[in-house]
Every structure is written in structure tokens, then in C-alpha cells.
Amino acid sequence: MQGIVWVGGSLDLTEAGYAALRDGRVAQARDYLLQAVDVDSTDLRAWKGIVQASRELKDLPAALTAFNNIIAHTDERRDVIDAYLSKARMLDEIGNEDKARDHYERALQFDNTLPYAYLALAELSLRAGQWQTAIGHADHGLEQAAFDAPERAWMLVIRAIAHRKSSLSVGPVSSFFQMLGNDEEGDPGEAAFKQAVTSNPDLKRLMPPDPFHNPARTAEKIRQHMPKYQIPTYRL
């Protein structure tokens, strides 16, 4: 039988909320945590618990509001970056691509070395048919990503498709692509795709047999399989 938890202030309410989360009483947990932020709107632990509970309850607006409050009240740069990236992914998943793009860009203002943000921006631009912008984001991401970063191969694929689709000159390529070299026909897109498969052999299985024949299908496969930012699970 569940015991009765006495609560008197924000901290008591927050701990009661986390106890309820641990017990699987998610709706009750969120009620406690919402009471906690009514008492103290700067209670970050309560707002993080609200994110957790709202995601479990599939209440996206409440989770987005909680992330907004984390951004407003935290002193930790990492909290801000995580909140912007989390919001970006959730907004993209509900089809709000413009706001998703804005949030990925805000995250990069706090840390311009985030490969998953560049990958997400490149993929959003590819989806929108903004070939030059997709190339630019992929180039920036490749210059920042570690050699073994899982995002690297996918940025190369996006770069390859965007280059092939573009009817305009891509202009000077990044120093990374200068190192790649071109194929016999001087096509940086083809070179990028070959490098992508070398970096991640699974692409042969995940991509269509001829990725350039149906770029829309290839873009769909990229979106389906590419690495995505993992929304944090706050410690209970």
C-alpha cells in the first residue's frame, strides 16, 4: 500500500514527484512537480522532472514549456544546449521545421562543435531543397566532427546528394573536401558518397542501390537512419 507523503515546500514537492516517477505513478508525479514550480518557479530539478513525466505522458506542449523554463532559470551552459537540442528534435518530429531549425542554430551559438546539430540542419535543408545551405551545414559539421563521429558518413551523403541536385556551382569547397579529391569526372558529390561508404560500410545496405537516381528516396532513407540527438533522461 502506498504511504502518504507529507509535503510542505518546493523541495518536499519535488522529491515527492521524483518518488512517484520512480514508482511509475507518472500523472501523480507531474502533479507534485507542477505544485513545486508554483511554489518556486526556479526549481530546476522540478522542471526536469516535468520534462520526464510529460514525455512519458506524451504531452509535448508541457515538455516544451518545461524546457523553456530550464533555459530561463539554469546557470549551466550544458542545460541550455540540451534544452535547445531537445526542443529542436521534438519540434521537427511534429513537423515544425522552421522552429526546429531555429533551435538547432541557437544550440550552436552556445557550442559550435555539435556534429548532430550540423547534421540535423543539413538534413532539414536537404528536405527543403536548399542544396547550397545543406552543403554548407555538412561542410561545417565535417570540419568539426571527430574522425570516428557517427554523424560524419551521413553528412557526406547529404553533401553528395545536395551537390548532385544543385544546378549551381558549389564554389570553393571546404578544406576537408579538398583533401577528398574528385572522381574522374570531377564530381565532389560522387567523391563524397564514396568516402561516406568507406567511413560507414552499412550505408550500402541502408541506401538505395543508386542513391543519385532517386534523391527523394535517398533523403527519406537518410532521415530514417541517421544518428539523432538523444533527449536526456534526467536522473531520478
Side-chain angles (χ1 to χ4, degrees):
M1 212 175 146
Q2 299 275 353
I4 296 174
V5 179
W6 180 87
V7 291
S10 172
L11 290 177
D12 296 315
L13 288 160
T14 299
E15 293 313 311
Y18 272 85
L21 272 176
R22 286 191 292 271
D23 290 344
R25 295 175 286 123
V26 181
Q28 184 180 20
R30 191 170 66 170
D31 286 343
Y32 280 133
L33 294 164
L34 288 170
Q35 291 177 58
V37 296
D38 280 342
V39 174
D40 179 3
S41 64
T42 68
D43 186 342
L44 282 174
R45 182 163 159 78
W47 284 118
K48 290 177 178 180
I50 291 169
V51 166
Q52 192 78 14
S54 298
R55 291 189 64 220
E56 290 187 34
L57 294 169
K58 303 188 185 306
D59 187 345
L60 180 64
L64 293 171
T65 296
F67 276 126
N68 286 339
N69 279 278
I70 291 170
I71 292 168
H73 299 302
T74 189
D75 294 324
E76 297 294 328
R77 182 165 159 268
R78 186 70 245 176
D79 281 345
V80 175
I81 293 168
D82 284 339
Y84 277 130
L85 292 172
S86 298
K87 287 188 67 184
R89 178 170 175 185
M90 289 191 291
L91 288 163
D92 186 20
E93 287 175 351
I94 62 170
N96 199 332
E97 297 172 6
D98 289 340
K99 282 192 176 180
R101 185 179 292 106
D102 177 65
H103 281 70
Y104 282 122
E105 289 172 348
R106 290 188 191 187
L108 286 169
Q109 290 174 5
F110 287 87
D111 183 352
N112 66 358
T113 67
L114 302 168
Y116 30 78
Y118 287 114
L119 173 58
L121 286 167
E123 190 276 324
L124 282 165
S125 298
L126 187 74
R127 204 187 313 165
Q130 299 168 342
W131 316 125
Q132 299 297 333
T133 304
I135 291 167
H137 287 310
D139 278 354
H140 286 306
L142 286 161
E143 288 169 349
Q144 296 293 339
F147 183 77
D148 59 350
E151 295 84 4
R152 176 174 289 276
W154 295 95
M155 287 188 279
L156 284 163
V157 173
I158 290 171
R159 215 271 186 193
I161 300 303
H163 182 274
R164 180 62 64 89
K165 286 291 292 181
S166 176
S167 61
L168 302 173
S169 169
V170 297
V173 298
S174 67
S175 57
F176 177 82
F177 278 96
Q178 290 171 6
M179 290 189 295
L180 275 184
N182 297 331
D183 66 359
E184 293 177 358
E185 298 179 356
D187 182 351
E190 190 72 35
F193 191 81
K194 289 177 181 177
Q195 182 71 10
V197 173
T198 300
S199 176
N200 181 358
D202 283 344
L203 287 174
K204 287 184 178 180
R205 174 177 56 83
L206 298 173
M207 292 292 100
D210 181 355
F212 297 107
H213 177 69
N214 187 344
R217 176 62 174 158
T218 302
E220 181 183 331
K221 288 289 188 180
I222 292 169
R223 179 168 169 74
Q224 181 181 354
H225 295 293
M226 73 181 198
K228 297 178 179 68
Y229 174 74
Q230 296 301 306
I231 298 173
T233 300
Y234 293 110
R235 183 171 59 85
L236 303 182

